[in-house]
Amino acid sequence: MQSSTPLGVYGFRFLDTPGDAFYQLFALGHEVRSGPSYSWDGLQRSDGPLLLLQYTVSGHGFLENGGRVHRIGPGQAFLVDIPSRHRYYASPEGEAWEFYFILLRPYGLETHWKHITERTGPAADIPPDSPVAHLLLDAFHAAARGRITDGYLASSLVYRLVMELLRFSSARRRDKEHWPPAIRTAALRLEADYARLPGMEEIAKEAGMSASHFTRSFHRATGYTPVEYLTKIRIEASFDLLRRSSLPIEEVAKAVGYSGGSYFSRVFREWVGFSPGDFRSGREVTALQHVTFD
């Protein structure tokens, strides 16, 4: 992310779009702040309700949130609700803090924002070459050049940024390298032995956990329960057999770990939206070769 762009703060209030149907951009800014005068108390502001993402380009500042103090340096951002119990401020040592920020009205975004902040926490490492950082910079440039001219454009911009934040915040769950070793080992076991697995109790025991603790830990790391993860693997494995072999549905079911075709067909329909037979024939459905679950 470049730091040579002009400084400024741009506010937006559009009357051409109905508030309940569009995402609302409140402000975009690029600032350099220093000294004790730059300090915001999240309970003392009168411009809420708002959602704030503030991304550091150079220098650093601090965020107090949940009883912790986070140092927000280059390539790091914080995400907070306004109003809420937090405070962010420039370095007491006087170092200049350069950052970009975006303020959004929460209407229609509450659930997305909750998912994002639950995954990232109040402070997040966001690489300068990431889509999130690039979109934030592009949005500021658009504002500085007078290109955000109506609520439709503003809503589209907000939607793109929020979708990238969702994708960014969920990426760690897709990357096994970030999973705890016991969960990663269990997931690899599920992937390798999905057709002939023992009960989940044994997998939990191998991971050194009780069944309930294993389920909670697995879900927290991956976004799936162990049973959901196993089902995902089995359904994905069934696609090639359904498309590339002439095995009866009953045999496909057994090949991917199900005891019979009836139960397999019910699970397949729940996950894919139609029956294994319709998937195989392409009848009344798009002739899919593969379906991605995530």
Side-chain angles (χ1 to χ4, degrees), residues 23 65 82 89 107 142 154 188 201 218-219:
Y23 301 127
N65 183 280
I82 299 170
Y89 51 92
Y107 315 125
L188 292 173
E201 292 80 5
F218 197 97
H219 185 267

Side-chain angles (χ1 to χ4, degrees), residues 199-222:
M200 282 297 171
E201 292 80 5
E202 184 172 329
I203 303 297
K205 185 176 180 180
E206 291 175 0
M209 306 178 196
S210 68
S212 59
H213 180 50
F214 174 63
T215 297
R216 289 194 300 271
S217 299
F218 197 97
H219 185 267
R220 184 166 55 248
T222 70

Side-chain angles (χ1 to χ4, degrees), residues 33-244:
R33 295 287 191 161
S34 61
S37 62
Y38 187 75
S39 176
W40 289 90
D41 186 323
L43 290 177
Q44 299 299 317
R45 297 179 63 157
S46 59
D47 50 357
L50 291 167
L51 309 173
L52 169 63
L53 166 68
Q54 186 155 309
Y55 184 85
T56 301
V57 177
S58 65
H60 70 276
F62 295 92
L63 169 71
E64 294 179 2
N65 183 280
R68 292 185 57 191
V69 177
H70 303 269
R71 185 183 187 276
I72 312 297
Q76 296 178 310
F78 67 84
L79 304 91
V80 292
D81 295 47
I82 299 170
S84 68
R85 190 177 298 279
H86 69 267
R87 185 169 76 94
Y88 58 95
Y89 51 92
S91 170
E93 287 80 27
E95 180 183 9
W97 186 13
E98 181 184 5
F99 53 83
Y100 289 88
F101 72 85
I102 186 168
L103 283 163
L104 314 171
R105 288 297 187 195
Y107 315 125
L109 293 172
E110 295 94 337
T111 300
H112 292 329
W113 190 258
K114 181 180 179 183
H115 288 326
I116 292 164
T117 55
E118 283 177 348
R119 295 168 185 171
T120 65
D125 294 323
I126 301 179
D129 60 351
S130 70
V132 171
H134 281 299
L135 272 175
L136 183 58
L137 179 61
D138 290 347
F140 176 80
H141 274 301
R145 295 168 182 170
R147 294 180 178 173
I148 305 177
T149 55
D150 58 57
Y152 299 93
L153 288 171
S155 181
S156 175
L157 182 154
V158 171
Y159 180 82
R160 288 180 60 206
L161 181 63
V162 170
M163 290 302 106
E164 286 297 344
L165 281 168
L166 281 167
R167 187 157 70 101
F168 169 80
S169 66
S170 64
R172 292 178 69 89
R173 282 185 166 178
R174 295 194 299 270
D175 186 352
K176 292 186 180 69
E177 293 304 313
H178 291 116
W179 297 356
I183 299 302
R184 184 166 62 248
T185 299
L188 292 173
R189 173 78 187 281
L190 293 175
E191 292 169 11
D193 297 333
Y194 64 87
R196 52 186 182 277
L197 274 175
M200 282 297 171
E201 292 80 5
E202 184 172 329
I203 303 297
K205 185 176 180 180
E206 291 175 0
M209 306 178 196
S210 68
S212 59
H213 180 50
F214 174 63
T215 297
R216 289 194 300 271
S217 299
F218 197 97
H219 185 267
R220 184 166 55 248
T222 70
Y224 294 98
T225 67
V227 171
E228 288 170 341
Y229 195 80
L230 176 60
T231 301
K232 170 182 176 293
I233 295 165
R234 285 174 167 172
I235 295 299
E236 288 178 341
S238 74
F239 293 151
D240 278 347
L241 292 175
L242 289 168
R243 286 292 193 190
R244 303 179 191 280

